[in-house]
Amino acid sequence: MSESASATAMRPVTAAPDVFAPGHVGELTQYLPFELVDDVLSETKTMQRRLRDLPSRVGVYFVLALMLFPRLGYARVWRKLTAGLIGLTLPNPSEKALRDLRRRLGPAPFKALFEVVAGPLGQPRTPGVCYRGLRTVAFDGCNSLKVPDTERNRCWLGRIRYRMGFAGYPTIRLMALVETGTRAVLGALLGSAADRDEPTLARRLLILLRPGMLVLLDRAFDAAGFLTDLDGTGAKFLVRARSTRQPPVLALLPDGSFLSDLDGLAVRVIDAQLTVTGADDSRVVDRYRLITTLLNHHQHPAVELIRLYHERWEIEIAYLALRHPILDGQVLRSHDRAGLEQETWALLTLYQLLRMAMVTAVESRPGTDPDRASFTTALHAARDQLVAARGIVPADRPDLLGVIGHAVLATLLPPRRARWSARKVKNATSRYIYRDDGRPTLPTTIIAIDIAVQPPTADPPRRRRSRRRRSAPHPPTRRDRVTALMRDDPRPWNGRELADRLDIKPRNMLTQLAEWTRLGFLARTSAGAYALTTRRDTGDP
């Protein structure tokens, strides 16, 4: 047989008829069928009044496809939707027509779709989903979904101000409730510039909690009013207490924890010291004070709850999947509030669909932890299926796992190992710039975690707040150095001269000089020249 011989392969593609054919997201369409989308469009009154070349249903799937390909423009995403629909006569819309389609839909149908697909996914028997019969969930906020820096976006979201100036982009404030075992989203809401308090935002999601749930919370949620409202839902909670809280000791328990009272709410408090040893002989010592409504120390030992609290960080991995594998670090597209809300609800809907496919695959192998499913594998498999237009409609004998599920099972990650990494950000405006908690600078495998529960000796008196001792003086900032030069030589200084003196790039120096002038720290004496402000410049009496 000649090596240059060729063969022809034919494959059928099943899709919606006529102009509805581009309305799909590949195999994920089976988790978001046409009937569901049509019903949501009818409920939100966004269904087209006459049949167009771009029906509303197609618009819903097109926006979801935009989330799958955040780096591509409208026209290229449309070509991916239609690439596998060979032989069909399909419209070839302009980018303006696709943009108008988005505006016609608005955010309402996407929010409704997310509320339909949102919810817990793991079965109680699935590893990591439950702790002693309680489904573990977590609240947390995310302030790192970047949006275009436009006037309309700033009016809604405000701007983030750091010590050295403003952040480059406004960000959406997202509050979510996540199932820690599968990282599925149970509910979410969007906040504005005025919604800075996380417990206030999370209170609007308490309606999603049920008896049989255990909520894991960080110190930001240690507020007596919020915890009382949370307890009223029937769910239990495990929250890390603020360092300033000194709960009264009502009864000492055998495991070292003690019963206490939180503004009329009966709670149990666990004080413990954790010593973590790394493979490089590094050691980090930290103190945990946890407050919980799990009062039975026989059924819920203190050491178990200390180890369980680590599961709260699973919500951070869910936010990581939104920002990096899906968005690939890209800024959202829209320049106004309606468009941003539409994109965010579509992003959350797509994320939940991928989690549904992943959990379905993992649970087909009993005893497999959902942590081992690769989100990146599922995402790339979903993109491939969309371009090929495969799996849109289930076959006569449907494969419940599908291509995405089989890809996830073929690339299961190894069981998670205990490790840590330094909590640092390589950014001059980071809040961690001077923080040194003793962690190693590179990811390190943990070989031992020693937990010592520390029972109280007596009801501790309330201590006066003392000034924090700084372990080491902070080095002078760039503005401090510029101010010192101008005080030593009180004359107008040129920006490039300052850059040469401080060994800083001229472009960076000029940008900061302009910002400090706007904030009132410096005065501009002439083009490119600056001096320290006087009392007359600042308006001081």
Side-chain angles (χ1 to χ4, degrees):
M1 183 176 179
S2 174
E3 295 182 358
S4 61
S6 61
T8 302
M10 301 293 292
R11 65 174 182 87
V13 174
T14 305
D18 304 324
V19 293
F20 293 96
H24 70 91
V25 279
E27 192 175 274
L28 292 180
T29 312
Q30 298 184 28
Y31 297 95
L32 197 71
F34 304 142
E35 297 80 6
L36 174 59
V37 175
D38 288 342
D39 184 61
V40 167
L41 289 171
S42 299
E43 289 293 327
T44 56
K45 299 180 180 180
T46 49
M47 183 72 78
Q48 70 277 351
R49 296 184 179 180
R50 59 181 176 83
L51 187 59
R52 303 167 177 261
D53 287 342
L54 297 175
S56 296
R57 184 210 294 175
V58 173
V60 170
Y61 289 112
F62 171 71
V63 175
L64 292 174
L66 288 177
M67 298 299 101
L68 272 175
F69 301 98
R71 289 181 173 271
L72 303 184
Y74 288 2
R76 293 180 65 186
V77 172
W78 180 263
R79 285 196 289 271
K80 288 187 177 295
L81 279 174
T82 58
L85 304 175
I86 302 173
L88 299 180
T89 302
L90 302 174
N92 185 22
S94 64
E95 291 198 352
K96 180 181 182 305
L98 294 171
R99 185 170 61 250
D100 291 342
L101 176 61
R102 281 193 58 193
R103 290 175 177 171
R104 190 172 80 234
L105 290 172
F110 296 92
K111 182 179 181 181
L113 280 175
F114 169 72
E115 291 173 350
V116 170
V117 300
L121 299 179
Q123 299 296 324
R125 66 178 183 276
T126 302
V129 171
C130 291
Y131 163 74
R132 293 186 177 268
L134 297 173
R135 186 181 297 269
T136 56
V137 298
F139 275 116
D140 204 4
C142 175
N143 295 327
S144 53
L145 293 179
K146 298 179 181 180
V147 306
D149 188 15
T150 64
E151 186 65 29
R152 285 178 290 181
N153 288 346
R154 287 195 300 268
C155 289
W156 175 40
L157 299 172
R159 299 182 68 187
I160 298 178
R161 183 171 181 176
Y162 295 113
R163 180 175 57 87
M164 299 292 290
F166 288 100
Y169 295 96
T171 57
I172 287 181
R173 288 177 172 84
L174 173 65
M175 174 61 63
L177 177 65
V178 169
E179 181 183 41
T180 60
T182 63
R183 301 169 196 159
V185 182
L186 280 67
L189 55 87
L190 308 182
S192 65
D195 298 319
R196 299 183 181 275
D197 186 44
E198 288 190 339
T200 301
L201 278 176
R203 186 176 274 108
R204 292 155 56 186
L205 293 175
L206 292 181
I207 193 175
L208 301 174
L209 298 178
R210 299 286 185 272
M213 289 184 175
L214 175 61
V215 188
L216 309 178
L217 304 159
D218 65 10
R219 284 177 282 199
F221 296 90
D222 179 17
F226 173 76
L227 296 178
T228 301
D229 293 343
L230 192 158
D231 182 71
T233 65
K236 304 297 183 180
F237 66 78
L238 179 66
V239 58
R240 189 173 181 183
R242 298 178 188 269
S243 59
T244 56
R245 184 179 288 282
Q246 299 290 341
V249 180
L250 301 183
L252 188 61
L253 301 177
D255 64 346
S257 60
F258 61 91
L259 300 180
S260 185
D261 178 86
L262 196 66
D263 290 354
L265 177 63
V267 296
R268 177 173 160 223
V269 181
I270 304 170
D271 272 326
Q273 178 174 294
L274 279 72
T275 304
V276 183
T277 305
D280 57 353
D281 294 331
S282 59
R283 295 183 65 198
V284 175
V285 179
D286 198 2
R287 180 190 175 192
Y288 269 24
R289 168 169 285 175
L290 301 182
I291 301 175
T292 180
T293 48
L294 299 174
L295 305 182
N296 191 331
H297 66 280
H298 295 291
Q299 189 175 3
H300 309 287
V303 174
E304 274 193 11
L305 295 182
I306 290 288
R307 294 185 180 275
L308 175 67
Y309 182 74
H310 176 76
E311 292 293 315
R312 191 203 71 80
W313 290 95
E314 297 296 331
I315 192 173
E316 302 290 352
I317 301 179
Y319 285 144
L320 179 71
L322 292 175
R323 297 192 306 264
H324 293 284
I326 297 182
L327 290 179
D328 198 17
Q330 294 295 299
V331 179
L332 296 181
R333 304 170 188 261
S334 301
H335 291 192
D336 57 14
R337 177 173 181 174
L340 289 177
E341 289 183 348
Q342 182 191 73
E343 283 189 80
T344 307
W345 293 122
L347 176 65
L348 291 171
T349 302
L350 174 66
Y351 171 86
Q352 188 72 357
L353 297 178
L354 289 167
R355 286 293 177 194
M356 293 167 72
M358 294 168 63
V359 173
T360 301
V362 168
E363 290 187 340
S364 67
R365 291 188 181 178
T368 304
D369 196 313
D371 288 347
R372 299 183 59 191
S374 170
F375 188 87
T376 303
T377 296
L379 177 64
H380 285 290
R383 287 172 176 167
D384 294 341
Q385 293 299 97
L386 180 143
V387 175
R390 294 179 180 175
I392 299 174
V393 179
D396 295 336
R397 295 181 180 180
D399 184 358
L400 295 179
L401 300 185
V403 174
I404 299 175
H406 286 294
V408 168
L409 293 179
T411 58
L412 285 177
L413 303 174
R416 179 180 293 179
R417 63 192 186 279
R419 64 173 185 164
W420 66 35
S421 60
R423 192 175 185 182
K424 295 181 180 179
V425 179
K426 296 179 180 180
N427 188 333
T429 61
S430 168
R431 57 180 171 170
Y432 301 113
I433 185 172
Y434 299 121
R435 180 170 177 169
D436 185 10
D437 55 4
R439 296 188 184 190
T441 56
L442 295 175
T444 305
T445 301
I446 296 174
I447 60 175
I449 301 178
D450 299 321
I451 301 175
V453 179
Q454 300 177 334
T457 56
D459 189 355
R462 295 189 178 274
R463 298 177 297 177
R464 295 181 179 178
R465 292 187 181 182
S466 59
R467 295 182 179 178
R468 292 185 178 181
R469 298 179 181 178
R470 293 185 177 180
S471 57
H474 292 172
T477 63
R478 187 174 294 178
R479 201 181 80 204
D480 293 337
R481 297 165 64 191
V482 170
T483 302
L485 282 176
M486 292 185 172
R487 283 178 178 169
D488 294 341
D489 188 0
R491 61 177 175 82
W493 283 76
N494 183 272
R496 294 188 177 276
E497 184 181 3
L498 287 170
D500 294 339
R501 186 71 68 90
L502 301 179
D503 194 21
I504 300 170
K505 292 182 180 180
R507 180 178 179 180
N508 297 347
M509 187 77 260
L510 293 173
T511 300
Q512 289 193 314
L513 289 173
E515 180 68 16
W516 294 335
T517 302
R518 191 186 64 80
L519 296 175
F521 300 123
L522 301 178
R524 186 177 181 181
T525 58
S526 61
Y530 300 86
L532 288 177
T533 56
T534 61
R535 292 185 178 271
R536 181 179 302 174
D537 296 327
T538 59
D540 295 336

